Amino acid sequence: MYIVTAKEMYDIDQFSMDRVEMDGSMLMENAGREIAQRVSAMINFEQALCILVGSGNNGGDGFVIARTLLNMGYKVTVLQVVEDKKIVGHAAYHKRLYLKCDGILKQLNEINDVQEELNKEDVIVDAIIGIGVKGDLREPLYSLVNQINRLDNLVLSVDIPSGLPTDEGVADFTAVQADHTFVIGAIKQTAFIQHTAPSYGKWECISIGFPQAAFKQLEMERKVWTKAAFQRTFPERSEYDHKGDHGKGLVIGGSSNMPGALGLTTRAALRSGAGLVTAATTDSVIQRIASFCPEATFVTVPEINGHLKYGNDIDYKGFDALAIGIGLGREAASRPVIRHAAAAKIPLIIDGDGLTHLKADLEVLDEREEPVILTPHPGEMAMLLDLSVKDVLMRPFHYAKKFATDHGVYVVLKGAFTVITDPNGKQAVNTTGNAGLAKGGSGDVLTGIILAMIMQKQSIFEGLCNACFVHGKSADLLIQESHSQHDLLASDVIEGLSLVYRTF
């Protein structure tokens, strides 16, 4: 599934009609029929539906939905929220068809009490405004949307909740709060932005016949990483494999007050499929986590006040990938450990406190030839970019891509929707996971899974996407089977990895 901006969606639509010569009325018919079929599966014949239609393609889709449901035997009324002269082109054609099928149509400006009128209906279908909204809504739509949001009715939106921006970066808006949104053709960016995603409710993307060439001509670089993508790219194992075939990983970190973080990362890497994992840390941390990670090996690193120092005594030869920063602490004495690790000729993952140390030494990224993977949460991304957290949350696609391409690194920007970006700007969004992951240690577990995944027979980008998928899916399966979002722990997620592998 592709993720698009408003302009990209317009270009896809135009390409389909101009270059492929698909009739716009046919595309509208496809969209309306597909949505009507899904609506019919959600309601019964006793329920009354009001289809709110505006101008443009969104309104045209609404007329097709209304006609299709009417012909199926449902109680349907269309409430037209704009003047007749604004219903033009393909939308006007489908309005005529609806009326010739004896459809009931009411005009918004002819209704004295809109709230009372809407209260008569069981289901509201929002086909008022599509992806073309600019700025906040004006009257009468502003009041209409607020009235819809006060209803207890089931509210279904067509393509995008009316009033919601399509692209990231918009802070102020008034939009329909949908229970379910039927997204047409491709997912819009705002389905994955923290303050706009709730307006969609549950969403599903429906295909209406746009050709693949329409997407390819834009060289689309944003996709949702799906179960199908995971199953297509996740490498199988041979009965003749041995532990060396699945990677020898090194994890550097830990401190006297955060020993568990390193233990979680080490155990997660082992449980995710790494052949061998070595943890390099202080002697006191080793003593505290060794029983939690009996399959791991350990390297003792000098310490000062319970934190790692120097790091130039660590030998990176014989390892296939390295993760650093987990539970490291922010002591200045630990900063050289990051600089020394950056010289290793293997893929490097920098997480947690390692990102804080990196901020003062960003040029090490530009000096490396081997892959670098950064795994910031929004606060850490904001710190690296000298921005506010709000800025990052408003435009996660933009800022993740900017940092990745500026420094030639992979960025895994963690959140409810984790955005994975490669050094060329290609992006994927992971949608697995739930609020149970909003716990300390969840990020440490993800780092361990990433370490294991990038050592398998798949590209770095695929490995990162699959790591995020597995991490979230473990939490999802555990919530279904044995845990709640309240009690789920990071260590539970590690044990749940076997559920993911057995399921898929």
Side-chain angles (χ1 to χ4, degrees), residues 263-434:
L264 289 169
T265 299
T266 303
R267 187 170 178 81
L270 288 162
R271 182 67 78 183
S272 301
L276 292 164
V277 179
T278 297
T281 187
T282 68
D283 183 62
S284 61
V285 170
I286 293 172
Q287 293 179 38
R288 294 165 72 177
I289 70 171
S291 61
F292 182 63
C293 311
E295 299 87 355
T297 57
F298 296 91
V299 171
T300 303
V301 178
E303 63 180 284
I304 180 170
N305 299 325
H307 293 78
L308 275 63
K309 69 172 183 177
Y310 305 130
N312 54 3
D313 49 349
I314 300 174
D315 186 0
Y316 303 107
K317 293 178 182 176
F319 293 106
D320 299 306
L322 160 66
I324 190 168
I326 310 95
L328 185 64
R330 300 181 181 181
E331 293 288 324
S334 299
R335 187 166 299 158
V337 179
I338 302 294
R339 163 63 74 166
H340 189 255
K345 303 298 182 183
I346 52 177
L348 170 65
I349 305 162
I350 306 177
D351 183 39
D353 293 324
L355 295 169
T356 302
H357 290 302
L358 177 67
K359 168 64 175 174
D361 209 7
L362 282 175
E363 61 268 18
V364 301
L365 299 179
D366 306 320
E367 296 167 5
R368 277 183 58 90
E369 296 181 0
E370 296 76 14
V372 178
I373 299 145
L374 307 185
T375 59
H377 55 59
E380 291 163 338
M381 190 82 255
M383 175 269 298
L384 290 171
L385 288 164
D386 292 320
L387 297 169
S388 70
V389 175
K390 181 181 178 181
D391 289 334
V392 173
L393 291 174
M394 287 280 292
R395 303 180 71 191
F397 291 99
H398 170 78
Y399 286 119
K401 182 176 180 179
K402 175 175 173 53
F403 194 91
T405 55
D406 283 353
H407 295 283
V409 299
Y410 294 85
V411 174
V412 179
L413 179 53
K414 297 179 289 193
F417 306 104
T418 294
V419 180
I420 303 104
T421 310
D422 80 358
N424 296 314
K426 182 169 68 173
Q427 295 183 306
V429 173
N430 178 64
T431 59
T432 62
N434 55 70

Side-chain angles (χ1 to χ4, degrees), residues 233-236 241 245-246 453 455-459 462:
T233 59
F234 189 71
E236 295 184 3
D241 284 355
D245 291 327
H246 303 299
M453 288 289 182
M455 297 191 295
Q456 310 310 308
K457 296 175 182 176
Q458 55 193 325
S459 71
E462 291 170 347

Side-chain angles (χ1 to χ4, degrees), residues 119-195:
N119 280 330
K120 297 176 184 177
E121 311 294 342
D122 299 298
V123 181
I124 304 296
V125 178
D126 157 36
I128 303 171
I129 308 172
I131 62 174
V133 65
K134 302 290 185 184
D136 206 357
L137 297 177
R138 294 188 290 271
E139 294 291 359
L141 297 186
Y142 177 85
S143 294
L144 176 62
V145 167
N146 281 306
Q147 288 172 314
I148 294 169
N149 291 340
R150 288 195 290 267
L151 297 172
D152 292 328
N153 311 54
L154 176 65
V155 178
L156 310 174
S157 285
V158 176
D159 196 28
I160 188 170
S162 290
L164 195 70
T166 304
D167 302 349
E168 63 177 351
V170 180
D172 300 318
F173 57 87
T174 301
V176 169
Q177 303 298 302
D179 296 301
H180 197 106
T181 301
F182 302 100
V183 183
I184 298 173
I187 313 297
K188 282 58 182 181
Q189 275 190 333
T190 46
F192 306 107
I193 308 301
Q194 181 172 293
H195 71 291

Side-chain angles (χ1 to χ4, degrees), residues 9 30 47 64 94 149 180 217 226:
M9 195 68 245
N30 291 351
Q47 292 177 295
V64 178
H94 284 293
N149 291 340
H180 197 106
Q217 55 99 21
T226 61

Side-chain angles (χ1 to χ4, degrees), residues 82-140:
V82 295
E83 300 173 283
D84 283 330
K85 65 181 181 181
K86 292 187 177 181
I87 306 292
V88 297
H90 304 304
Y93 167 74
H94 284 293
K95 176 183 177 180
R96 289 195 298 274
L97 290 185
Y98 170 71
L99 293 173
K100 287 186 176 182
C101 290
D102 299 322
I104 299 172
L105 186 145
K106 298 180 180 180
Q107 296 277 355
L108 179 66
N109 58 8
E110 296 174 356
I111 296 174
N112 293 324
D113 191 334
V114 175
Q115 193 76 42
E116 182 180 344
E117 183 73 24
L118 294 176
N119 280 330
K120 297 176 184 177
E121 311 294 342
D122 299 298
V123 181
I124 304 296
V125 178
D126 157 36
I128 303 171
I129 308 172
I131 62 174
V133 65
K134 302 290 185 184
D136 206 357
L137 297 177
R138 294 188 290 271
E139 294 291 359

